[in-house]
Amino acid sequence: MSALELDISLPLIRHKVMKLLYFAWVRERVGSESETRDIPVDVTTVGALKTWLSSIDEGYAYAFENPQIIRVALDKTLAEDDAPLGDAQEAAFFPPMTGG
Amino acid sequence: MSALELDISLPLIRHKVMKLLYFAWVRERVGSESETRDIPVDVTTVGALKTWLSSIDEGYAYAFENPQIIRVALDKTLAEDDAPLGDAQEAAFFPPMTGG
Amino acid sequence: MKIKVQTEPFDAGAEITALHAGNPAIGAVTSFTGYCRDEGGQLEALELEHFPGMAESQLTAIAQEANTRWPLQGITIIHRYGKLKPGEPIVLVVTSSAHRRASFEASDFLMDFLKTKAPFWKKEHPANPSQEASWVESKASDDADADRWKR
Amino acid sequence: MKIKVQTEPFDAGAEITALHAGNPAIGAVTSFTGYCRDEGGQLEALELEHFPGMAESQLTAIAQEANTRWPLQGITIIHRYGKLKPGEPIVLVVTSSAHRRASFEASDFLMDFLKTKAPFWKKEHPANPSQEASWVESKASDDADADRWKR
């Protein structure tokens, strides 16, 4: 039966699991340095992921209040807001870097 | 008597004594690293001093065959060809510098 | 190429000597050391946070980019993290080349890129205990410095 | 300001440490070390002749000029003379400042000016004993480098 087959496969495509890392004041505002979350399947880009995270609670909303200044690395490589999440396992969020 | 006074003072104004220093291949061509010479009173500039030195002998002529590339320092300060000798005590002659 | 991210201090002189050792084709070694300033007595300590793994990979990528741009004989980058006191060294960049221009420009480039592309963040702990610690904001001048190398 | 003209080797690390010591306003120290190259095995030794007295006064004048152009905390220049073997250090320039740009630019400037304005001359002694020693000719590129700083 095709309806049953669809039901079985649905949980596999409705979300993806990602490890999320936060650094510096993004970490402090979010209140966590690392977590694993189910990401909805319609969240397909870095920018959409920021928007989705900012809706979680007040801490996330504060961390992402100026989403354009938050830098993102997918699997430890910098990615712009329009970059697709693709099959990245990890996304890290942080302020502009101030090393050196 | 004014004629006598003139005779006495003449040797004082006919030349000036300078210490001359030579470095690198200028030194090798001249065959001396240091000497004291009576400079004729009509040799009043750095350029004129180069011309006068080049007439001393073959070694000096060889050292100053391209006078424009020879650098000169009067009392340890770089001086261009049109600089007056003034009351400089020392003139040094050398090729373009290659330190560092 | 030597890339280190560590808490321990480093010895700039030893790194210069090591980068030059046994390579008589090297005519020029440039080093840059960045230190924690005391900000006129206002600063108690600087806390450096980093992203382990990505810090090393970004520094390596920046060094590889420098190698494509200049004929270098060697690159050493050491970046510390943790809590540092005023006067302590934070970062070291050493480059070697046959001639001085490549060595100077590559060190300058590495520092500019490291400031804007390597995942380190500084938090200032003020000497006055009634003031709160605050994150250092990125400087527009650092972005402008990095933009000098665009091509 | 520390200016030395000497035959003995120098210790770049010790000079970096000395220039930074006890001054927590310093955020940046740049060093440049120039070494004798072996020119692919062609060179036996480099002989450096200098004009005593003028070498020191010219290096001092160049350092003073750097001090007027950049907000520096310190300058160290050491230049060796005599016969040097491949691999041996010839010249050291160290500058310190609150920020990196001043320190980088001042070191670069000092090296360019030192090459064209300080009375030192290099004679190359070839490894092949049948070849004669020859004076190093000044390079047009060195003049061009120095011209970058004209104003």
Side-chain angles (χ1 to χ4, degrees):
Chain A
M1 258 189 64
S2 64
L4 181 61
E5 282 162 6
L6 213 79
D7 275 341
I8 290 166
S9 62
L10 266 176
L12 296 176
I13 57 162
R14 219 182 262 142
H15 60 78
K16 90 179 232 161
V17 175
M18 286 188 85
K19 186 177 182 190
L20 306 179
L21 305 175
Y22 308 99
F23 293 96
W25 55 255
V26 177
R27 171 179 53 73
E28 291 178 342
R29 293 180 182 187
V30 163
S32 166
E33 58 177 66
S34 166
E35 61 183 350
T36 301
R37 280 193 183 267
D38 289 348
I39 313 296
V41 74
D42 61 334
V43 173
T44 58
T45 65
V46 163
L49 184 53
K50 285 180 183 176
T51 305
W52 180 73
L53 284 167
S54 67
S55 70
I56 291 175
D57 70 16
E58 276 186 13
Y60 286 85
Y62 181 33
F64 290 93
E65 64 180 356
N66 290 311
Q68 74 285 357
I69 69 165
I70 304 296
R71 303 288 193 269
V72 181
L74 295 179
D75 292 339
K76 300 185 172 59
T77 299
L78 289 170
E80 300 296 325
D81 279 355
D82 58 2
L85 296 180
D87 52 6
Q89 307 287 303
E90 175 195 280
F93 302 86
F94 41 81
M97 294 157 272
T98 56
Chain B
M1 255 190 66
S2 64
L4 181 63
E5 282 161 7
L6 212 79
D7 276 339
I8 290 165
S9 62
L10 266 176
L12 296 177
I13 57 162
R14 220 181 259 141
H15 59 78
K16 86 180 238 165
V17 176
M18 286 188 85
K19 186 177 182 188
L20 305 179
L21 305 175
Y22 309 100
F23 293 96
W25 55 254
V26 178
R27 171 179 54 72
E28 292 178 342
R29 291 179 183 187
V30 163
S32 166
E33 58 177 65
S34 166
E35 61 183 350
T36 300
R37 280 193 183 267
D38 290 349
I39 311 298
V41 73
D42 61 334
V43 173
T44 59
T45 66
V46 164
L49 184 54
K50 286 180 183 176
T51 305
W52 181 73
L53 284 167
S54 67
S55 70
I56 291 175
D57 70 17
E58 276 186 13
Y60 286 85
Y62 181 33
F64 290 93
E65 65 180 354
N66 290 309
Q68 74 285 356
I69 68 164
I70 303 297
R71 303 290 193 266
V72 181
L74 294 179
D75 291 339
K76 300 187 173 56
T77 299
L78 289 171
E80 299 295 323
D81 278 355
D82 57 3
L85 297 180
D87 51 6
Q89 306 288 302
E90 175 195 279
F93 302 85
F94 41 82
M97 295 158 271
T98 56
Chain C
M1 195 185 296
K2 174 179 173 180
I3 311 287
K4 291 265 185 191
V5 177
Q6 62 186 40
T7 55
E8 308 80 52
F10 48 77
D11 179 340
E15 299 300 335
I16 291 171
T17 301
L19 202 59
H20 173 258
N23 186 346
I26 292 173
V29 175
T30 303
S31 82
F32 177 88
T33 310
Y35 294 90
C36 178
R37 290 187 302 270
D38 73 346
E39 308 298 353
Q42 303 283 301
L43 191 80
E44 156 71 18
L46 206 54
E47 192 181 341
L48 271 128
E49 181 169 334
H50 79 299
F51 182 175
M54 186 177 170
E56 290 83 350
S57 64
Q58 284 290 96
L59 293 177
T60 303
I62 295 166
Q64 284 167 340
E65 173 66 21
N67 264 327
T68 68
R69 292 186 180 216
W70 292 278
L72 302 176
Q73 298 280 342
I75 298 177
T76 295
I77 304 177
I78 303 178
H79 203 306
R80 295 175 72 192
Y81 63 93
K83 214 162 183 176
L84 305 178
K85 296 277 182 187
E88 284 199 70
I90 302 169
V91 61
L92 175 72
V93 162
V94 191
T95 62
S96 62
S97 183
H99 302 286
R100 75 185 186 288
R101 178 80 23 242
S103 170
F104 265 122
E105 291 185 357
S107 295
D108 197 4
F109 167 87
L110 288 168
M111 280 306 304
D112 281 350
F113 268 67
L114 190 151
K115 288 247 169 195
T116 54
K117 302 286 184 199
F120 292 86
W121 302 272
K122 293 195 186 101
K123 191 175 198 173
E124 291 180 334
H125 293 265
N128 183 340
S130 69
Q131 290 180 345
E132 273 190 34
S134 61
W135 292 97
V136 172
E137 283 191 50
S138 68
K139 283 184 285 187
S141 64
D142 284 335
D143 289 328
D145 283 345
D147 282 348
R148 296 185 303 149
W149 306 100
K150 273 214 175 128
R151 61 180 193 183
Chain D
M1 194 186 297
K2 174 179 172 180
I3 311 288
K4 290 266 186 190
V5 176
Q6 62 186 41
T7 55
E8 308 81 51
F10 49 76
D11 179 341
E15 299 300 336
I16 291 171
T17 301
L19 202 58
H20 173 258
N23 186 347
I26 293 173
V29 175
T30 303
S31 82
F32 177 88
T33 310
Y35 294 90
C36 178
R37 291 187 302 270
D38 73 345
E39 308 298 355
Q42 302 285 299
L43 191 80
E44 156 71 17
L46 207 54
E47 192 180 341
L48 271 127
E49 181 170 333
H50 79 299
F51 182 175
M54 185 177 170
E56 290 84 350
S57 64
Q58 284 289 97
L59 293 178
T60 302
I62 295 165
Q64 284 167 340
E65 172 68 20
N67 264 327
T68 67
R69 293 187 180 215
W70 292 278
L72 302 175
Q73 298 282 343
I75 298 176
T76 296
I77 304 176
I78 303 178
H79 203 305
R80 295 175 71 193
Y81 64 92
K83 214 162 184 175
L84 304 178
K85 295 277 182 187
E88 284 199 70
I90 302 169
V91 62
L92 175 71
V93 163
V94 191
T95 62
S96 62
S97 183
H99 302 286
R100 75 185 185 287
R101 178 80 22 242
S103 170
F104 265 122
E105 290 185 358
S107 295
D108 197 5
F109 168 88
L110 288 167
M111 280 307 303
D112 282 350
F113 268 68
L114 191 152
K115 288 248 169 194
T116 54
K117 302 287 184 198
F120 291 87
W121 302 273
K122 293 194 186 100
K123 191 174 199 172
E124 290 181 334
H125 293 265
N128 182 340
S130 70
Q131 290 179 343
E132 274 191 31
S134 61
W135 292 96
V136 172
E137 283 191 49
S138 68
K139 284 184 285 186
S141 64
D142 285 334
D143 289 327
D145 283 345
D147 282 347
R148 295 185 303 149
W149 307 99
K150 272 213 176 128
R151 63 179 192 184

